[in-house]
Amino acid sequence: VVANTIEVVTLDALPGVTLVDACNGGCIGDAYAAGIYTTPPQYATCSDACTGRCLEVDALYKVKLYTDVTAAFPAGNKVIQFRDNTDRANLESVCVGATALISMGQGATGMVYRTIDDVNQVVTASQMATIGLAVLAAKQAITDQRWAHKEALRALMDLGDTPGILAYDITANW
């Protein structure tokens, strides 16, 4: 196994240690025998490959989910900050308030939502609920794609297709 790379004058510089010319390829961790380098498999089993790739999907999902969203306000398209669960909770609380007002027959009641440009957007409860539903739809589409990628990886696992799992493009269609 290639354990390290060093510079030596001659390949027989260290008795008892097999030194090979780095110009022939190979990386740390690769096996070396009879002049041939082989890279060990990244995963021991097809199931391990699926689990690992699904974890990659989960990581990408978090990146995609926590991105700002453009929404249509009465003053035009504005960006809603959506960096983390705090931003999500802020939006949800305003939308819950809007829903409560609508349920009491007060959908025309004015509300304020501050967008990423630090400008208060004056909206009615009905408009705020519509904005909330648009953001929900955008975030649900991201969640749906997460599920689709994981289901595709699991289908490949069911076929025993480790190369297919490793080649599967988890960055597509977000």
Side-chain angles (χ1 to χ4, degrees), residues 81-135:
Q81 189 166 274
F82 209 95
R83 300 166 299 186
D84 52 28
N85 281 335
T86 300
D87 289 341
R88 180 189 50 77
N90 288 339
L91 178 61
E92 286 174 353
S93 65
V94 173
C95 290
V96 166
T99 303
L101 288 168
I102 293 167
S103 71
M104 295 184 299
Q106 298 176 23
T109 301
M111 301 183 75
V112 175
Y113 188 83
R114 193 169 188 88
T115 49
I116 199 168
D117 57 358
D118 287 329
V119 174
N120 288 338
Q121 305 299 321
V122 179
V123 294
T124 66
S126 294
Q127 290 168 330
M128 192 65 227
T130 299
I131 291 165
L133 288 171
V135 172

Side-chain angles (χ1 to χ4, degrees), residues 13-153:
L14 297 172
V17 176
T18 302
L19 298 178
V20 295
D21 190 342
C23 295
N24 293 334
C27 297
I28 293 175
D30 286 355
Y32 177 81
I36 299 171
Y37 293 97
T38 55
T39 302
Q42 184 178 2
Y43 300 103
T45 67
C46 188
S47 177
D48 290 346
C50 183
T51 298
R53 295 305 312 276
C54 284
L55 290 173
E56 291 176 42
V57 170
D58 288 340
L60 187 55
Y61 166 73
K62 288 179 184 172
V63 170
K64 299 289 187 180
L65 184 68
Y66 292 112
T67 55
D68 299 339
V69 179
T70 300
F73 284 84
N77 286 341
K78 299 292 180 178
V79 177
I80 294 175
Q81 189 166 274
F82 209 95
R83 300 166 299 186
D84 52 28
N85 281 335
T86 300
D87 289 341
R88 180 189 50 77
N90 288 339
L91 178 61
E92 286 174 353
S93 65
V94 173
C95 290
V96 166
T99 303
L101 288 168
I102 293 167
S103 71
M104 295 184 299
Q106 298 176 23
T109 301
M111 301 183 75
V112 175
Y113 188 83
R114 193 169 188 88
T115 49
I116 199 168
D117 57 358
D118 287 329
V119 174
N120 288 338
Q121 305 299 321
V122 179
V123 294
T124 66
S126 294
Q127 290 168 330
M128 192 65 227
T130 299
I131 291 165
L133 288 171
V135 172
L136 174 65
K139 298 305 177 178
Q140 186 60 51
I142 294 167
T143 300
D144 291 347
Q145 194 55 45
R146 174 193 190 195
W147 293 336
H149 282 304
K150 291 174 110 176
E151 288 167 3
L153 288 165

